[in-house]
Amino acid sequence: YRFTLANERTFLAWIRTALALAAGGLALVAVLDDFPGEEALGVTLLLIGFLTAAASYRRWALNERAMRLDEALPHSRLPLLMAIAVSIIALIATVMLVVDAA
């Protein structure tokens, strides 16, 4: 039970991350009306949030299956992809902020 509950906690942490990305995307679109590129950045965050939620469920299900069958846990690229996506978004947002301030 301990490992099943740990798997569920990890899934819920990924869901919180997806919700934060979605909230950030909505905030960009709703709050920054006159900021150039805000819609594209906001929609990108919403899309990344959706993909994170979908991938986290798949990861949870595969891990749950592997634990029940006493198999090795499958490798996941989700953390690497999230790190890359969030880094790129942060870089783009920083460039947009500097260009808008100039």
Side-chain angles (χ1 to χ4, degrees):
Y1 295 112
R2 181 178 65 177
F3 297 113
T4 297
L5 292 173
N7 190 33
E8 184 177 344
R9 282 190 304 273
T10 302
F11 168 70
L12 292 173
W14 282 110
I15 292 298
R16 281 191 305 271
T17 301
L19 284 171
L21 288 165
L26 287 173
L28 269 172
V29 173
V31 175
L32 300 177
D33 291 331
D34 297 333
F35 199 80
E38 49 90 14
E39 279 189 20
L41 196 58
V43 169
T44 301
L45 283 174
L46 287 167
L47 180 63
I48 292 171
F50 169 77
L51 293 174
T52 300
S56 66
Y57 177 79
R58 185 179 186 311
R59 182 178 180 188
W60 171 83
L62 290 174
N63 286 344
E64 198 66 27
R65 182 180 183 278
M67 286 189 296
R68 294 200 186 281
L69 297 176
D70 200 27
E71 297 174 349
L73 295 178
H75 177 72
S76 176
R77 292 190 182 116
L78 184 58
L80 175 62
L81 295 176
M82 282 298 300
I84 291 170
V86 171
S87 297
I88 290 170
I89 292 293
L91 182 63
I92 291 170
T94 301
V95 168
M96 289 171 58
L97 185 64
V98 169
V99 167
D100 187 57

